Amino acid sequence: MHAAVVTAFDKPPTYREFPRPTTQHPEDIVVDVIAAGLHPRVRSQADGSHYTSTGELPLVPGTDGVGRAPDGTLRYFVLPDTTMGAMAEQTVIDQRRSIVLPDGTDPILVAAAVNPVMSSWLALHRRIVFEPGQSVLILGATGSSGRMAVQVAKQLGAGHVTGAGRDARRLATLAKLGADAVVQIDNASEMDDLAYAARDVDVVIDYLWGPITARVMAGIATHRSDRGRPLSWIEIGSVTGPSAEIFAAALRAVRLQIVGSGQGSVPTRDILTELPEITAEIGRGAFELDTRAVPLADVEAAWNDTDADQRIVITP
């Protein structure tokens, strides 16, 4: 069979022949892959930078997708850490890590949308107690997952959503996705302005981390009107740095909890519990998403296309 194969972490995968997968456990089945999303998580898997990377090569990237099972059912699946990923004509899935999709489901849309929707959906549903009407600040709202987080927060009942990012063009598009306010954070002064404007926010969904987080967090702590009001800070991504210098005073001065949300902190059983509702919302058109299907044979060219306005889906 053919697959996208990574042979070096500093090069994109190439389209080549690869051994057909075989099952190892009673719960395993081989599925014909229909669609697999090219997410930022998949890119970090393929370049060895993700925190779960074992450094093992060669590998077929792809962490999730939609496939046709031997019984004819259409399944959305989430793969464990494996070198036999979803970007192949076939892959092995654990049936317990998949759900059957209803007839008429668009596999391209599901493969494109579930991963970015899950990012913020699980954060709000599984990592904190989120109440309808609360206010949400999204740091990194101009990225693909951040843009989706604006929609997810609104879908889950946020009373006010502020999107913050550096790309002015993409910031201007967030209002139609549900953002009540947008703030550009291209310099220190703008970060300080954001911290003041968002001083009484209830939840921060953070895709940036690094120095931006440190500055905004310290500013919010300094200006908060009611220091006893809970503030939940959810770290999901680290686009601007792997570490952030958190001032001790910010932890002491306000009722702040900092949690991470991602692979490991959200158990697989929790992901599977949420998947039926997530896929149902995607299927009914609850989220706006620009998708582009690319044949598996063109995976190398697709890999070099980093346009964050589109979600690329690889179709074997």
Side-chain angles (χ1 to χ4, degrees):
M1 72 165 189
H2 285 88
V5 183
V6 176
T7 56
F9 287 128
D10 60 349
K11 296 179 181 178
T14 56
Y15 178 73
R16 62 176 64 187
E17 290 190 357
F18 199 77
R20 288 190 178 275
T22 57
T23 60
Q24 302 292 327
H25 306 286
E27 301 82 8
D28 291 348
I29 59 172
V30 175
V31 299
D32 295 325
V33 179
I34 296 174
L38 177 48
H39 317 302
R41 167 68 178 86
V42 177
R43 291 183 183 277
S44 66
Q45 174 194 31
D47 66 19
S49 65
H50 196 263
Y51 61 85
T52 62
S53 176
T54 63
E56 185 178 355
L57 292 174
L59 69 83
V60 175
T63 57
D64 68 334
V66 177
R68 184 73 65 183
D71 63 2
T73 56
L74 191 67
R75 288 179 176 266
Y76 171 79
F77 57 85
V78 179
L79 295 175
D81 294 328
T82 177
T83 56
M84 186 62 246
M87 292 185 177
E89 292 174 344
Q90 293 184 322
T91 194
V92 174
I93 71 168
D94 182 338
Q95 295 181 80
R96 298 170 300 179
R97 297 172 64 99
S98 70
I99 62 168
V100 175
L101 298 171
D103 292 339
T105 296
D106 181 349
I108 303 298
L109 181 60
V110 169
V114 172
N115 178 274
V117 169
M118 274 202 302
S119 166
S120 49
W121 183 291
L122 294 174
L124 293 175
H125 262 194
R126 293 287 172 171
R127 296 300 287 133
I128 65 170
V129 178
F130 179 66
E131 300 291 345
Q134 288 186 319
S135 57
V136 178
L137 166 63
I138 299 167
L139 288 179
T142 54
S144 54
S145 293
R147 287 165 58 85
M148 187 60 72
V150 170
Q151 300 178 68
V152 169
K154 278 294 188 178
Q155 184 69 21
L156 297 182
H160 188 278
V161 175
T162 300
R166 293 177 292 187
D167 189 315
R169 180 183 65 82
R170 292 194 177 115
L171 275 174
T173 68
L174 296 183
K176 70 176 183 179
L177 300 180
D180 299 287
V182 297
V183 179
Q184 189 169 14
I185 46 173
D186 216 15
N187 55 54
S189 176
E190 289 173 343
M191 294 176 209
D192 292 342
D193 290 344
L194 170 63
Y196 183 79
R199 63 191 180 278
D200 293 325
V201 72
D202 297 302
V203 179
V204 178
I205 298 176
D206 188 352
Y207 291 99
L208 299 181
W209 206 240
I212 292 177
T213 289
R215 191 174 189 104
V216 174
M217 186 184 292
I220 289 176
T222 299
H223 298 297
R224 204 156 178 82
S225 300
D226 179 0
R227 294 175 181 267
R229 180 175 180 170
L231 169 59
S232 297
W233 201 289
I234 315 173
E235 196 281 322
I236 301 180
S238 51
V239 173
T240 61
S243 62
E245 184 176 302
I246 305 304
F247 295 97
L251 295 172
R252 296 197 305 267
V254 297
R255 191 175 170 188
L256 169 66
Q257 65 163 339
I258 304 173
V259 301
S261 185
Q263 189 173 343
S265 61
V266 181
T268 301
R269 64 178 178 275
D270 289 355
I271 296 174
L272 292 170
T273 298
E274 299 289 345
L275 277 178
E277 187 176 357
I278 290 173
T279 54
E281 290 297 302
I282 291 170
R284 75 173 185 84
F287 306 108
E288 182 178 320
L289 190 69
D290 185 9
T291 65
R292 178 161 63 92
V294 175
L296 178 62
D298 297 332
V299 66
E300 189 170 357
W303 215 267
N304 294 321
D305 184 350
T306 57
D307 181 1
D309 290 342
Q310 287 188 319
R311 277 281 173 170
I312 295 174
V313 178
I314 302 300
T315 57

